[in-house]
């Protein structure tokens, strides 16, 4: 419940701030005496949609550190920490990206990568992952996370989320205005949007938001396959990634906080809202690629 509450609280705060900014800039003045100003509405939807997504991206790294309790490895204090840092450095150099920050967090087997830019990202692994896997398997997991960074997945997800958010805000208000106009077509004393507009807009924000989430989750599942393949390229072979996924499937990795779940290694249940494909499908994809290669 903590991760869900944190996610909802963050989004409510971002939307509230953006609403105030939009009011100050006047981009929310899309309801006029002559009807709906579609240009102004599109501007408002764009600010709300992309603004929320971009702000979430920019704060992704500090939020990840705080919500997961990540301890950044400034100076390795053990052979294991030194090995983790060196492994990340090796893969980052091979992938052609800047050296990410490297951190460890307490918890069951999992890992994630996050950050707004390729050359200043964060890779973090859990203590459970380090304790429950062989070094080769941990190396494959780290390679998967570095592949996410090299593929630009954080930025791509932000752009897709921004587009979806924009459509949700735009369509909900256009349809809300149409419903309100129909309900008040015989009301000559109407001076502005009525209850029909407000109720319809709120309901459609929720309904269309779920549709948008399904689309974003579908894309997220596709990029997991690409990150798995990226890890095999960084390591030069597929079996370590296959072994790591198989072990994770038996470990039942803990869920990450919602704000970084899309960047985690954990396999999902394969449903519409899952950001990760089932581990079985990911292993099968690697095995098929191995046979074809």
């Amino acid at each position: 419940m903590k991760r869900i509450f944190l996610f909802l609280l963050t989004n409510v705060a971002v939307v509230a701030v953006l609403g105030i900014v939009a009011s100050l800039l006047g981009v929310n003045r899309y309801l006029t005496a002559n009807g709906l100003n579609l240009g102004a509405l599109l501007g408002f939807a764009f600010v709300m949609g992309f603004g929320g997504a971009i702000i979430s991206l920019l704060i992704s790294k500090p939020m990840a550190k705080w919500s997961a309790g990540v301890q950044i490895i400034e100076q390795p204090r053990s052979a294991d920490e030194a090995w983790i840092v060196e492994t990340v450095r090796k893969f980052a150099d091979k992938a052609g990206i800047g050296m990410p920050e490297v951190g460890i967090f307490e918890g069951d087997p999992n890992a994630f990568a996050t950050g707004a830019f390729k050359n200043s990202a964060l890779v973090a692994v859990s203590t459970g992952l380090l304790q429950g896997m062989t070094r080769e398997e941990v190396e494959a997991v780290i390679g998967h996370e570095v592949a996410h960074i090299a593929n630009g997945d954080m930025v791509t997800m932000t752009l897709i989320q921004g587009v979806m958010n924009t459509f949700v805000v735009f369509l909900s208000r256009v349809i809300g205005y149409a419903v309100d106009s129909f309900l008040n077509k015989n009301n000559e004393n109407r001076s502005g949007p009525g209850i029909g507009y407000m109720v319809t807009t709120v309901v459609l924000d929720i309904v269309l938001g779920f549709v948008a989430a399904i689309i974003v989750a579908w894309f997220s599942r596709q990029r997991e396959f690409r990150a798995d393949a990226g890890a095999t390229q960084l390591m030069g072979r597929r079996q370590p990634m296959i072994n790591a996924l198989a072990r994770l499937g038996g470990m039942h990795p803990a869920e990450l906080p919602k704000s970084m779940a899309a960047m985690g290694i954990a396999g999902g249940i394969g449903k519409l809202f899952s950001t990760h494909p089932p581990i079985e499908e990911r292993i099968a994809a690697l095995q098929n690629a191995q046979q074809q290669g």
Side-chain angles (χ1 to χ4, degrees), residues 119-141:
N119 294 324
S120 60
L122 165 69
V123 173
V125 298
S126 71
T127 53
L129 193 79
L130 298 173
Q131 294 165 1
M133 281 189 168
T134 66
R135 278 202 170 186
E136 186 178 65
E137 291 164 350
V138 175
E139 189 176 6
V141 172

Side-chain angles (χ1 to χ4, degrees), residues 44-129:
F44 173 77
F46 183 85
V47 169
M48 295 294 288
F50 276 90
I54 291 171
I55 290 173
S56 296
L57 174 66
L58 293 176
I59 67 174
S60 61
K61 213 166 51 162
M63 283 293 293
K65 292 177 182 179
W66 174 69
S67 58
V70 176
Q71 299 296 315
I72 299 299
I73 302 176
E74 302 287 356
Q75 292 292 333
R77 295 170 296 179
S78 66
D80 283 342
E81 289 189 359
W83 176 80
I84 294 169
V85 172
E86 187 53 38
T87 300
V88 173
R89 188 186 308 280
K90 175 181 69 175
F91 286 149
D93 289 343
K94 194 169 184 179
I97 62 173
M99 177 63 182
E101 286 188 282
V102 183
I104 296 177
F105 60 97
E106 295 288 336
D108 290 333
N110 224 319
F112 66 86
T114 191
F117 308 101
K118 282 186 179 183
N119 294 324
S120 60
L122 165 69
V123 173
V125 298
S126 71
T127 53
L129 193 79

Side-chain angles (χ1 to χ4, degrees), residues 9-260:
L9 184 62
T10 301
N11 278 271
V12 168
V14 169
V15 170
V17 171
L18 288 178
I20 294 172
V21 172
S23 296
L24 293 175
L25 295 177
V27 297
N28 66 332
R29 297 171 186 170
Y30 50 82
L31 288 169
T32 69
N34 297 322
L36 200 62
N37 185 327
L38 294 180
L41 174 57
L42 184 58
F44 173 77
F46 183 85
V47 169
M48 295 294 288
F50 276 90
I54 291 171
I55 290 173
S56 296
L57 174 66
L58 293 176
I59 67 174
S60 61
K61 213 166 51 162
M63 283 293 293
K65 292 177 182 179
W66 174 69
S67 58
V70 176
Q71 299 296 315
I72 299 299
I73 302 176
E74 302 287 356
Q75 292 292 333
R77 295 170 296 179
S78 66
D80 283 342
E81 289 189 359
W83 176 80
I84 294 169
V85 172
E86 187 53 38
T87 300
V88 173
R89 188 186 308 280
K90 175 181 69 175
F91 286 149
D93 289 343
K94 194 169 184 179
I97 62 173
M99 177 63 182
E101 286 188 282
V102 183
I104 296 177
F105 60 97
E106 295 288 336
D108 290 333
N110 224 319
F112 66 86
T114 191
F117 308 101
K118 282 186 179 183
N119 294 324
S120 60
L122 165 69
V123 173
V125 298
S126 71
T127 53
L129 193 79
L130 298 173
Q131 294 165 1
M133 281 189 168
T134 66
R135 278 202 170 186
E136 186 178 65
E137 291 164 350
V138 175
E139 189 176 6
V141 172
I142 293 174
H144 173 99
E145 301 306 336
V146 171
H148 270 311
I149 300 170
N151 292 340
D153 284 339
M154 284 83 77
V155 173
T156 305
M157 284 289 289
T158 299
L159 293 175
I160 291 175
Q161 187 67 66
V163 170
M164 291 297 102
N165 289 347
T166 299
F167 274 108
V168 168
V169 173
F170 184 81
L171 290 177
S172 65
R173 281 148 183 80
V174 169
I175 297 173
Y177 183 81
V179 170
D180 191 63
S181 296
F182 175 78
L183 294 176
N184 292 279
K185 60 183 178 180
N186 297 321
N187 184 2
E188 297 180 356
N189 297 322
R190 179 187 176 194
S191 59
I195 188 68
Y197 172 82
M198 291 182 284
V199 171
T200 303
T201 298
V202 170
V203 171
L204 287 179
D205 275 343
I206 296 172
V207 173
L208 294 177
F210 276 109
V211 175
I214 291 173
I215 296 172
V216 173
W218 174 85
F219 175 80
S220 179
R221 292 194 294 273
Q222 306 315 305
R223 73 196 181 87
E224 287 305 312
F225 291 117
R226 293 194 295 272
D228 288 342
T232 68
Q233 292 173 0
L234 290 172
M235 294 194 71
R237 51 203 178 99
R238 294 182 175 87
Q239 197 57 47
M241 191 72 237
I242 293 173
N243 294 343
L245 288 169
R247 191 179 294 274
L248 280 169
M251 284 179 167
H252 303 295
E255 291 187 21
L256 290 167
K258 189 70 175 180
S259 59
M260 72 189 84

Side-chain angles (χ1 to χ4, degrees), residues 225 228 238 279-290:
F225 291 117
D228 288 342
R238 294 182 175 87
I279 283 181
E280 294 80 5
E281 289 185 15
R282 295 168 66 181
I283 292 175
L286 289 173
Q287 290 174 333
N288 290 337
Q290 193 171 40

